[in-house]
Amino acid sequence: MAIAREHELHKRRSGRNIGLAVVLVGFIALVFGLTIAKVQSGATLQAYDHSYRPALDPDHPRFQQR
Amino acid sequence: MSDIRADFSGPSVAEAGFGDYIALLKPRVMSLVVFTALVGLLVAPGSLHPIEALAAIIFIALGGGASGALNMWWDADIDRVMKRTANRPIPAGRVAPDEAMALGVALSGFAVIMLWLATNALAGALLAFTIFFYAVIYTMWLKRATPQNIVIGGAAGAFPPMIGWVAVTGSVSIEAALMFMLIFMWTPPHFWALALFMKSDYHKARVPMLTVTHGRKATRAHILVYTVALVPFALLAGVTSIGGPVYLALAVGLNLLFLMGAVSIWRRSEAAAQEDGYRAEKRFFRFSLIYLFAHFMAFLLEAALARLPAYAEFAASFSLLGGA
């Protein structure tokens, strides 16, 4: 048994759903791209990572200018 | 075996298609927002990662679109009365007013936060202010209260290049302010020229348009006054870091022609205008579009030429103001 889609209303709903899907996929791609861009531009950033690293402390004699 | 058929033989149900939601965002206005914001972003000193730049433009455009949806929600009663706007999604019954309002508010918040995250807080704050200015100050308050509504509304349209600039630099400078003033002062003569030859039905909607409240003669004088006031801002931009000899040469020519057009509109009587089918007014309106587009293209051209060291050195001698 097949359900025949007759009404123009179904077309509108389907258009809306497809439109929204395209927008959402585009948004995901954009946020992904932004994440990559932000991480790349912050590539030289370093953190202490659980333990103190004198090389990252500007007040420490072993501080290394990057 | 037979098909199961859904029978919808009744009258067509008014239900929004995807295009109706796009129409709520005023895509034609959005295209101007995209263009001017892109120029602001490209001529600013420094640079963004291309993806960040793309995101910035998308969210600025989305913010502009959101304020358009809020405008359509608030003005649905006016839109219903006027022929030009009667087929917009809300007055035509395709989108419910509450739905448009929800879309406008949600997209506003979304665009502001995303622009902030993609670029910086000041750019996000400026976008938030632009939306607030257009939706609340202009649409809800001043549009129906004063015939200077076009002047005030112009400010909302003038912010995008400034936001583009701030997205890159993180601060407002004289260059960004001059790009703002260029659009801000350009808007009134542009729209009032249109109001002179377009027989609109604003009076039916009780929106105080200058042509109705103060008459056509006063509108012609207003066009001239605002055009005269526009010229210094257009020329001043030429002696900042976004200007240069090419921009200045172009701006001098464009502003001279624009001024001549405004003077000719001011000197004409209504009878003479009616006689030739508002030829001068139509010509001035068309030229106003070229005027703005050419100024922003000239900013872009200067930015491209500045990559040539010899030209950059020559152009620097024109840069008397700012220097961001």
Side-chain angles (χ1 to χ4, degrees), chain B residues 294-305:
Chain B
H295 274 88
F296 276 82
M297 283 306 285
F299 289 139
L300 271 186
L301 189 62
E302 285 286 355
L305 288 171

Side-chain angles (χ1 to χ4, degrees), chain B residues 125-296:
Chain B
L126 270 176
L127 182 64
F129 181 73
T130 306
I131 297 169
F132 170 77
F133 194 90
Y134 186 66
V136 179
I137 307 278
Y138 170 67
T139 303
M140 295 182 189
W141 181 22
L142 296 171
K143 182 175 176 180
R144 302 180 197 212
T146 165
Q148 297 293 320
N149 47 20
I150 291 295
V151 182
I152 298 143
F159 272 113
M162 183 183 267
I163 303 174
W165 176 279
V166 170
V168 178
T169 63
S171 62
V172 177
S173 67
I174 187 157
E175 291 87 348
L178 284 170
M179 283 191 283
F180 173 93
M181 288 307 291
L182 187 59
I183 303 181
F184 180 66
M185 300 306 289
W186 164 88
T187 310
H190 168 75
F191 276 106
W192 283 330
L194 180 73
L196 279 176
F197 66 81
M198 275 278 285
K199 301 285 180 205
S200 73
D201 34 11
Y202 275 114
H203 58 282
K204 250 174 40 189
R206 294 184 181 176
V207 175
M209 287 301 282
L210 195 67
T211 43
V212 178
T213 59
H214 289 66
R216 291 167 169 271
K217 199 169 185 310
T219 306
R220 291 171 187 281
H222 271 70
I223 288 176
L224 179 62
V225 169
Y226 275 90
T227 306
V228 170
L230 162 69
V231 173
F233 293 109
L235 296 180
L236 262 181
V239 293
T240 65
S241 71
I242 55 173
V246 172
Y247 172 89
L248 261 178
L250 201 75
V252 167
L254 287 167
N255 282 279
L256 202 64
L257 289 172
F258 207 43
L259 261 177
M260 282 162 60
V263 169
S264 85
I265 284 182
W266 173 64
R267 290 173 64 175
R268 265 155 78 85
S269 68
E270 195 55 30
Q274 268 178 354
E275 206 164 287
D276 67 5
Y278 294 94
R279 218 170 62 197
E281 289 78 4
K282 285 177 182 170
R283 205 170 47 212
F284 182 81
F285 175 76
R286 277 196 302 271
F287 183 69
S288 71
L289 291 166
I290 298 168
Y291 174 94
L292 193 70
F293 183 71
H295 274 88
F296 276 82

Side-chain angles (χ1 to χ4, degrees), chain A residues 1-4 6-10 12-13 15-17 19-20 23 27 30-31 33-34 36-38 40-41, chain B residues 1-6 8 12-13 15-18 21 49 51-52 54-55 58-59 94 110 114 117-119:
Chain A
M1 269 198 287
I3 296 176
E6 289 284 300
H7 203 271
E8 183 256 343
L9 189 137
H10 290 117
R12 281 200 209 187
R13 283 187 185 163
R16 231 163 51 193
N17 294 340
L20 187 61
V23 168
F27 179 62
L30 188 63
V31 171
L34 262 179
I36 301 289
K38 294 280 183 196
Q40 273 182 352
S41 63
Chain B
M1 216 183 281
S2 66
D3 286 352
I4 294 174
R5 287 183 173 271
F8 293 106
S12 175
V13 180
E15 187 165 317
F18 190 70
Y21 294 109
H49 188 285
I51 305 259
E52 287 175 328
L54 175 72
I58 289 174
F59 296 128
R94 293 191 300 274
F110 177 76
M114 286 307 296
L117 293 176
T119 59

